[in-house]
Amino acid sequence: MTTVKAGARRAGQCRAMPAPRTSRRRRVAASSDFLAPWFLGAAAENEATLERLLVAFLRDHVYWRRNFHPEDPPVIGAAEQLAPDYLAAVARMEQALRELSARLKRSVPLYSPRYVGHMASDLLLPGLLAQLVTTLYNPNNVSAEAGPVTVDLEVEVGQQLARMLGYATDSRRAPAAYGHLTSGGTVANYEALWLHRAARLYPLAAADALGAVPAFTGLFRGLDAWRLANLPWPRIAALQARVEALLAHAPDAAALRARLAAARVERLGMAGFLARHGLAAPVVIAPRTAHYSWPKAMQLLGLGDAQLWPAAVDAHMRLEPDSVARLLRQAWRARQPVLAVIGVLGTTEFGTIDPIARLVELREQAARRGQGFALHVDAAWGGYLSCLFRDPRGRLVPRSALRKAFRYFPSAAVHRAFGALRLADSVTVDPHKLGYIPFGAGAFIARDRRLAGFVGQRPVYLYDEANPAQSADRLGQLGDYILEGSKAGAAAAAVYVCNRVLPLDSAHFGRVCAQTLHASEHLYDRLRETAARLAPLCRLVLPVEPDTNVCCLAVNPAGNRALATTNRFGRALYARFAIGRAGKPQGSEFLGSHTSLLRANLKDADARRIARRLGLDPAGFVVAPRDAAREADHLFLLRHTLMNPWLMHASDGRNFLDRYCEYLEQAIRATLADFA
């Protein structure tokens, strides 16, 4: 895990598996007994609870249907239910479901502690039950009319998640946060750029449409296109509020609103808007480790992924603030607006945490020279770990208090990053990852709910402009200001109920998150022991120390100097952890995943260091390999996502991670024998 003592090593340099610190009392993982009521269990131990509650609420739903208007005659008669065609139809339905159930048995056993692969695991029972029960009612959260109960729940979920991240939610004071669910983190990232683009370019449209109108002229005095494109967020929000206040009293308000709408980027498109104002296309700065959804977002918004500027990462795979600072200055000199800077709180490959606090500082420094941009944090993976950092009263838990519960976690840098989340402009977080909620439930959370006011689509079949209740409760009209249209209210019910029974703080949901970090620390230490035993046969290395609960491992046969051979060996080893080898999941001892450490993401010195630790020729780890197999531009890794709640459950004195390490050692020995 990441080093505990500041200054123990030079910044950016870390050993993969240091010897245990004998001078420090070994941290003991907290008991997992408290988890027992919350999950179905690896062997469905809570079957009776699930069945009892599900059947009870199914019956409750049936009673609801029967008593809506009990005077109505049945639409399906008893005689029809005995007809041959009816019975045949039911038989076909049952047969199709049996076939589906049989096929589903070949699914990946995400619930099992033998699964250490992708970012999925067992589901929390409250969320699972809430989703199943609410699906019977099939609410549509596109508007309060279509989902009068679950829309309110979704708005409250946004507030729950906002408080977890450290945002203020009191609507009587600005900024007051808001949030809502999406189908996943990818859509939340799209929405972040969509909203921030709308806000960033609004001042230009307002000046274009209204700048010559006497009542509005003073709002834009001294502001040319470049300055308008770089206003800080508070000034953008204040400008829009002032425009709306003036429009409310303008005698020709309808015509002026039409002029403003016609000048917006949403009407003109990116090419027309930028040409109209003589501006270069805005850029987005994101780390090289950013999720693949970001180039997709750039393409969808018409910006083009050429405007996604990659910032360098350090040896720890964290975003380098100095690289971001250089790119910001480059954009400033080229008079190219910066739409957003992206930080990542838990990368997909390594679970690492970017220095969010430094990005906040860079935003403020840039603002002082007149350069404005939004700071968005992609916390799809790590967002729920914020529970550990918030006490039940919403206060930040000191690092010293957190350190008492763990062996390595959290490093000082990680604690600073989580403490700074409350200052980001917006955040993506996925309840269907470390929230243990059924797919798909991502979320977009913004620090200031005024951001939602820069977009809007209000079809007449959903919204009545003359209805004062709808005008007063815009947050409840989700379809107006989010990217998606029809959306399942059942997802909102699932997250809401989970957050009710396990509040998002260190005393409740944080205990679930803590189990995953204890597991990561335990595996980290066990891998060191495994590496020592296998030293005569191979080198076993963690190229990137884990910040959180994702561990990646590289293995190189002893005496080998060629990276291509290391990668071929890694793939052969991974085959023993892949579901395809056995043809069905039951034939696999453990199931994992893989990734690659890309040479393009490493500085020369870091690439050489990793190569030397593996015993490889540093000259063979290159950005642009000449060989057709392209086995020299990356390092193949076994990837372990440690989120299953039962990984530390022990029997016969061994927990599942101990068993995993034993199997890993056997698999390495067997693969070496076959590879030779």
Side-chain angles (χ1 to χ4, degrees):
M1 299 290 287
T2 304
T3 181
V4 210
K5 297 181 179 179
R9 300 194 282 275
R10 280 192 299 126
Q13 292 192 352
C14 52
R15 294 176 294 169
M17 290 165 286
R21 297 168 174 82
T22 54
S23 61
R24 179 183 291 277
R25 178 176 60 85
R26 184 174 181 84
R27 307 299 184 191
V28 179
S31 169
S32 62
D33 292 349
F34 80 98
L35 294 170
W38 304 123
F39 294 90
L40 180 56
E45 295 88 346
N46 280 329
E47 170 197 9
T49 299
L50 174 62
E51 181 178 344
R52 176 177 61 82
L53 292 174
L54 188 57
V55 169
F57 287 105
L58 171 61
R59 289 173 177 165
D60 184 64
H61 175 79
V62 169
Y63 298 152
W64 178 71
R65 289 191 178 213
R66 287 178 178 168
N67 289 284
F68 175 58
H69 272 285
E71 71 275 15
D72 291 343
V75 296
I76 303 172
E80 291 176 276
Q81 293 176 313
L82 297 175
D85 287 350
Y86 178 96
L87 296 174
V90 171
R92 289 197 304 274
M93 177 170 59
E94 183 176 353
Q95 180 62 30
L97 287 169
R98 288 182 181 276
E99 291 173 3
L100 171 64
S101 181
R103 295 181 69 175
L104 288 171
K105 300 304 181 291
R106 298 199 300 274
S107 298
V108 178
L110 303 174
Y111 56 83
S112 172
R114 291 180 179 270
Y115 183 81
V116 290
H118 293 282
M119 293 173 168
S121 185
D122 206 357
L123 300 172
L124 281 162
L125 271 180
L128 173 60
L129 280 163
Q131 182 143 336
L132 292 172
V133 168
T134 308
T135 298
L136 293 170
Y137 297 81
N138 197 31
N140 180 358
N141 275 18
V142 68
S143 74
E145 273 192 4
V149 175
T150 50
V151 162
D152 287 345
L153 300 185
E154 182 160 344
V155 172
E156 177 54 28
V157 162
Q159 300 295 281
Q160 292 169 337
L161 294 173
R163 289 189 288 268
M164 176 188 76
L165 299 171
Y167 285 148
T169 57
D170 186 348
S171 61
R172 296 168 298 181
R173 301 177 62 183
Y178 84 101
H180 67 89
L181 297 181
T182 63
S183 61
T186 292
V187 172
N189 287 343
Y190 295 167
E191 186 167 315
L193 288 192
W194 179 58
L195 287 168
H196 288 306
R197 182 186 69 171
R200 173 73 29 212
L201 300 183
Y202 173 86
L204 291 153
D208 186 16
L210 306 173
V213 179
F216 296 84
T217 302
L219 297 179
F220 310 104
R221 187 173 292 115
L223 296 173
D224 59 12
W226 177 241
R227 290 185 177 90
L228 287 166
N230 279 282
L231 293 180
W233 162 250
R235 285 196 63 185
I236 295 174
L239 173 65
Q240 191 207 34
R242 185 61 181 148
V243 166
E244 289 299 315
L246 291 172
L247 285 173
H249 297 94
D252 53 348
L256 292 177
R257 287 186 186 280
R259 285 174 59 178
L260 177 57
R264 297 286 301 273
V265 66
E266 290 78 13
R267 180 72 61 84
L268 296 174
M270 282 301 299
F273 187 90
L274 295 173
R276 188 181 185 106
H277 294 280
L279 288 175
V283 300
V284 173
I285 299 172
R288 289 186 175 275
T289 51
H291 190 256
Y292 63 83
S293 59
W294 291 106
K296 282 185 179 181
M298 300 294 285
Q299 295 163 15
L300 285 169
L301 287 175
L303 293 167
D305 54 23
Q307 314 311 317
L308 183 63
W309 288 6
V313 295
D314 60 19
H316 201 91
M317 294 293 107
R318 291 175 179 158
L319 177 65
E320 281 200 338
D322 288 347
S323 177
V324 175
R326 286 192 295 271
L327 292 172
L328 287 171
R329 289 193 296 269
Q330 177 182 331
W332 179 254
R333 289 192 297 269
R335 295 179 69 82
Q336 194 157 5
V338 177
L339 177 56
V341 170
I342 312 300
V344 182
L345 199 85
T347 57
T348 305
E349 288 87 358
F350 305 104
T352 48
I353 305 295
D354 282 342
I356 307 302
R358 285 286 292 118
L359 296 182
V360 170
E361 292 173 2
L362 288 175
R363 184 188 60 191
E364 305 314 312
Q365 290 170 9
R368 287 195 288 272
R369 67 168 170 260
Q371 184 179 31
F373 60 85
L375 172 58
H376 178 79
V377 177
D378 185 351
W381 174 244
Y384 263 81
L385 295 178
S386 298
C387 296
L388 284 163
F389 296 82
R390 294 286 158 194
D391 70 16
R393 295 178 61 183
R395 299 171 302 189
L396 184 68
V397 178
R399 180 171 175 254
S400 58
L402 279 170
R403 288 287 303 116
K404 294 176 182 178
F406 297 99
R407 181 169 174 75
Y408 305 107
F409 181 85
S411 69
V414 166
H415 190 268
R416 283 195 299 271
F418 277 90
L421 265 184
R422 64 185 181 85
L423 299 174
D425 294 295
S426 55
V427 177
T428 290
V429 60
D430 273 358
H432 67 212
K433 289 189 173 75
L434 277 173
Y436 299 88
I437 294 294
F439 289 106
F444 171 80
I445 313 295
R447 181 170 178 255
D448 193 332
R449 63 185 57 186
R450 290 176 293 179
L451 184 64
F454 289 85
V455 297
Q457 296 289 329
R458 301 178 67 83
V460 293
Y461 65 87
L462 289 177
Y463 305 108
D464 180 4
E465 297 296 344
N467 185 337
Q470 287 191 354
S471 300
D473 183 27
R474 185 163 186 262
L475 288 185
Q477 309 303 323
L478 292 170
D480 182 14
Y481 62 88
I482 70 174
L483 277 181
E484 295 165 287
S486 295
K487 60 199 305 286
V495 184
Y496 173 80
V497 170
C498 258
N499 296 351
R500 280 292 305 275
V501 299
L502 282 169
L504 301 177
D505 57 51
S506 57
H508 298 91
F509 206 104
R511 297 178 70 187
V512 180
C513 297
Q515 286 294 114
T516 73
L517 293 162
H518 286 303
S520 185
E521 292 184 335
H522 185 82
L523 178 63
Y524 181 75
D525 286 339
R526 283 302 313 272
L527 287 175
R528 182 196 62 82
E529 298 165 5
T530 303
R533 284 193 298 273
L534 291 175
L537 301 176
C538 64
R539 295 199 186 193
L540 189 152
V541 170
L542 271 70
V544 178
E545 282 188 328
D547 272 345
T548 55
N549 40 23
V550 180
C551 297
C552 293
L553 179 68
V555 184
N556 183 39
N560 173 57
R561 297 276 292 167
L563 179 57
T565 301
T566 302
N567 287 339
R568 286 195 294 271
F569 178 83
R571 290 185 171 86
L573 176 61
Y574 170 69
R576 299 176 185 273
F577 296 88
I579 197 169
R581 178 179 177 87
K584 56 181 182 179
Q586 292 84 354
S588 302
E589 285 290 321
F590 284 90
L591 290 162
S593 63
H594 66 85
T595 189
S596 291
L597 180 60
L598 302 179
R599 174 62 183 86
N601 289 346
L602 294 168
K603 295 179 180 178
D604 292 344
D606 295 329
R608 289 193 296 269
R609 178 181 55 83
I610 291 171
R612 284 194 295 268
R613 289 175 56 207
L614 280 164
L616 298 171
D617 178 6
F621 195 9
V622 295
V623 174
R626 297 177 181 176
D627 58 296
R630 299 188 64 81
E631 286 288 4
D633 64 347
H634 68 280
L635 174 63
F636 185 88
L637 303 172
L638 297 183
R639 173 171 167 265
H640 311 86
T641 303
L642 304 171
M643 64 178 292
N644 188 280
W646 313 112
L647 289 169
M648 297 295 289
H649 180 75
S651 61
D652 300 327
R654 299 179 305 156
N655 59 46
F656 279 94
L657 292 177
D658 294 332
R659 297 181 187 183
Y660 171 80
C661 287
E662 292 169 7
Y663 178 72
L664 173 66
E665 184 171 344
Q666 295 169 11
I668 290 173
R669 292 179 184 274
T671 305
L672 284 169
D674 294 344
F675 205 71

